[in-house]
């Protein structure tokens, strides 16, 4: 078909001169908003248009009435996506709109902990082995002290003492029937201490046993610092308050009561430093010792632990190799028979109810008395000390 002059075979797009917002369709959906303001008119060729209508003249506005008085095309005949905006005088095509702005970078907040260097793993392990505290507390201590091990260790002890004292105040008044007897000898000085706790389970804990060791060391240092010219043996006792005020030792800070608060904070039970006894002898004397059910640990050195303990002071003219075994047997007798006094060799033999040590039947051979056993050994018993764990508590309950 040959197109007529003045007409194009392609669709003609013309702006509608009178376009109002009221004529624009409502925007539906998420696509671009297109307005119903332009129409596409295709010429019908030569002569009259489709349906006997004459095509509109070139340049005539679309949508105006032609010679026949009818509209040239229907607005609804166009797809919604092919309609144009009235403000633009050119062909409009559907567009997706401007791209969204790029996401703003999230601000980076750096706290002071990021700027400080994190403690190394080796420092954490060393501090953990030294103090026995958890890795979390050791990490806090190293961060607070800038990685210094000594300062971190003292910081941990101070914090633990605060927590221990507060916990000790809460647990004060609970009965402490269990515990351990500690025996420690060094040179011519021997000490016997008693530390109590609430349960036997805690008494088997290494931390509690280390507390008993510290109490024994503090008592031993107190005994050795006494500058006495000994012509005979000396014996002394320390009650709970006197024992608590003793220094903890050269490697520990504070007093024994501070170490007690640390142990209470760690183990969570009420504990008491019950009592202590010490014996110091010159040449010509010997101290025999025995702990019933003794427990030994490589970390506790020469400390012996048990539920019963005894010290027996013997006087001898010469040092014999058998004195150690003899002193141990005498200590066994004191623990088993619980005498109240030494007595003398001239006393009459007594039965099982006898309270004088030398008149009692010998524990390992009841056919003879203890005096009859000791006399051939060339040794004379002059004094003894006996501790039984929790005996004071039981007596108080009986009263």
């Amino acid at each position: 078909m040959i197109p007529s002059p003045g007409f194009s075979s392609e669709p003609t797009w013309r702006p509608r001169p009178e376009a109002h917002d009221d004529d624009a369709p409502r925007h539906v959906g998420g696509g671009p908003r297109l307005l119903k303001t332009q129409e596409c008119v295709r010429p019908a060729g030569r002569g009259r248009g489709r349906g006997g209508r004459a095509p509109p003249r070139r340049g005539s506005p679309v949508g105006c009435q032609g010679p026949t008085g009818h509209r040239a095309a229907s607005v609804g005949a166009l797809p919604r996506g092919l309609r144009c905006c009235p403000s633009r005088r050119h062909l409009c095509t559907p567009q997706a709109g401007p791209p969204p702005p790029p996401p703003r970078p999230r601000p980076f907040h750096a706290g002071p902990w990021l700027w400080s260097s994190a403690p190394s793993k080796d420092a954490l392990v060393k501090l953990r082995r030294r103090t026995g505290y958890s890795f979390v507390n050791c990490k806090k201590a190293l961060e607070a002290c800038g990685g210094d091990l000594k300062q971190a260790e003292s910081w941990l002890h101070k914090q633990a003492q605060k927590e221990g004292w507060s916990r000790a105040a809460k647990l004060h008044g609970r009965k402490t029937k269990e515990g351990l007897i500690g025996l420690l000898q060094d040179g011519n000085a021997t000490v016997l201490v008693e530390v109590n706790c609430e349960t036997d389970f805690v008494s088997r804990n290494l931390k509690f046993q280390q507390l008993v060791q510290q109490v024994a060391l503090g008592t031993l240092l107190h005994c050795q610092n006494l500058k006495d010219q000994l012509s005979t043996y000396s014996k002394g006792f320390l009650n709970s308050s006197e024992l608590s005020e003793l220094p903890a030792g050269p490697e520990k800070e504070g007093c024994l009561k501070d170490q007690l608060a640390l142990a209470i904070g760690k183990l969570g039970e009420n504990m008491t430093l019950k009592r202590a006894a010490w014996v110091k002898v010159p040449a010509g004397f010997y101290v025999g010792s025995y702990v019933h059910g003794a427990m030994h640990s490589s970390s506790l050195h020469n400390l012996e632990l048990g539920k019963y303990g005894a010290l027996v002071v013997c006087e001898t003219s010469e040092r014999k190799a058998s004195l150690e075994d003899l002193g141990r047997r005498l200590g066994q007798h004191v623990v088993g028979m619980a005498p109240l006094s030494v007595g003398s060799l001239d006393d009459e033999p007594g039965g099982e109810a006898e309270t004088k040590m030398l008149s009692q039947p010998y524990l390992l051979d009841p056919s003879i008395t203890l005096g009859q056993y000791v006399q051939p050994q060339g040794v004379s018993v002059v004094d003894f000390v006996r501790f039984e764990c929790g005996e004071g508590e039981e007596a108080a309950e009986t009263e």
Side-chain angles (χ1 to χ4, degrees):
M1 178 182 296
I2 301 174
S4 61
F7 291 90
S8 173
S9 61
E10 298 296 328
T12 303
W13 296 85
R14 297 187 182 92
R16 184 175 180 178
E18 296 179 0
H20 303 282
D21 293 338
D22 296 336
D23 298 333
R26 298 297 180 183
H27 176 65
V28 180
R33 182 174 181 177
L34 300 176
L35 301 179
K36 187 177 67 175
T37 56
Q38 289 183 343
E39 299 172 356
C40 178
V41 180
R42 181 183 297 275
R46 294 182 179 181
R48 304 183 66 85
R50 184 174 51 182
R53 301 173 184 174
R57 296 180 182 178
R58 181 178 180 134
S60 62
V62 176
C64 297
Q65 294 188 4
T68 58
H70 299 281
R71 296 178 65 89
S74 175
V75 175
L78 292 176
R80 185 183 296 270
L82 296 179
R83 300 167 190 172
C84 299
C85 301
S87 60
R88 298 183 181 180
R89 301 300 180 181
H90 56 81
L91 178 64
C92 293
T93 57
Q95 296 182 358
R104 298 178 60 185
R106 188 174 181 180
F108 179 74
H109 299 282
W113 60 274
L114 288 176
W115 301 107
S116 61
S117 59
S120 62
K121 185 177 180 180
D122 294 338
L124 278 174
V125 173
K126 288 181 181 179
L127 188 60
R128 162 76 172 173
R129 289 177 179 175
R130 286 185 184 181
T131 61
Y133 296 104
S134 64
F135 279 105
V136 175
N137 291 330
C138 291
K139 184 178 180 181
K140 289 180 182 179
L142 289 172
E143 289 176 352
C145 301
D148 192 299
L149 285 176
K150 291 184 178 180
Q151 294 182 3
E153 186 174 355
S154 62
W155 185 90
L156 281 172
H157 288 322
K158 290 179 181 179
Q159 296 297 321
Q161 283 179 4
K162 292 179 181 179
E163 296 179 2
W165 281 119
S166 61
R167 182 170 290 185
K170 295 179 181 178
L171 299 178
H172 180 72
R174 290 189 180 181
K175 296 179 180 179
T176 54
K177 299 180 181 180
E178 301 294 334
L180 288 174
I181 303 295
L183 172 67
L184 185 62
Q185 285 184 308
D186 185 23
N188 64 338
T190 308
V191 298
L192 202 63
V193 299
E194 179 182 357
V195 182
N196 299 123
C197 59
E198 295 183 39
T199 62
D200 184 64
F201 176 77
V202 169
S203 67
R204 295 193 298 268
N205 190 288
L206 180 60
K207 293 179 180 179
F208 180 80
Q209 296 175 4
Q210 290 174 348
L211 174 64
V212 180
Q213 181 187 27
Q214 292 173 3
V215 175
L217 285 173
T219 307
L220 183 65
L221 291 175
H222 170 74
C223 176
Q224 292 175 344
N225 291 333
L226 297 175
K227 304 297 183 181
D228 295 336
Q229 297 295 331
L230 295 178
S231 57
T232 183
Y233 77 98
S234 61
K235 180 179 72 172
F237 293 91
L238 298 172
N239 58 25
S240 180
S241 58
E242 295 171 343
L243 196 58
S244 299
E245 297 298 331
L246 292 181
E251 299 180 357
K252 302 292 182 179
E253 298 179 359
C255 303
L256 289 179
K257 62 181 180 181
D258 298 324
Q259 302 301 318
L260 176 66
L262 284 174
I264 292 175
K266 291 178 181 179
L267 299 177
E269 275 196 10
N270 188 26
M271 304 175 195
T272 55
L273 307 181
K274 184 67 177 295
R275 54 182 173 170
W278 54 268
V279 176
K280 198 173 182 180
V281 296
F285 287 83
Y286 176 76
V287 179
S289 61
Y290 173 74
V291 173
H292 184 68
M295 297 180 292
H296 299 275
S297 176
S298 59
S299 60
L300 301 178
H301 305 292
N302 297 327
L303 182 68
E304 296 184 25
L305 299 171
K307 296 294 183 179
Y308 299 85
L311 303 179
V312 181
V313 182
C314 303
E315 185 176 4
T316 179
S317 58
E318 55 180 337
R319 184 78 177 184
K320 298 180 180 180
S322 60
L323 281 179
E324 183 175 355
D325 185 58
L326 176 63
R328 186 173 184 276
R329 293 183 178 182
L330 293 176
Q332 285 179 332
H333 178 88
V334 171
V335 167
M337 300 300 293
L340 299 179
S341 61
V342 176
S344 66
L345 296 175
D346 299 332
D347 295 335
E348 293 292 330
E352 294 182 357
E354 181 63 48
T355 59
K356 294 180 180 180
M357 180 179 175
L358 296 178
S359 300
Q360 289 178 331
Y362 179 42
L363 181 67
L364 302 181
D365 187 4
S367 61
I368 60 174
T369 63
L370 182 67
Q372 294 172 352
Y373 169 74
V374 171
Q375 191 173 11
Q377 307 290 338
V379 173
S380 59
V381 178
V382 295
D383 206 347
F384 68 91
V385 177
R386 182 183 183 273
F387 276 5
E388 180 180 349
C389 185
E391 61 183 346
E393 295 290 335
E394 295 176 358
E397 287 185 359
T398 303
E399 293 177 359

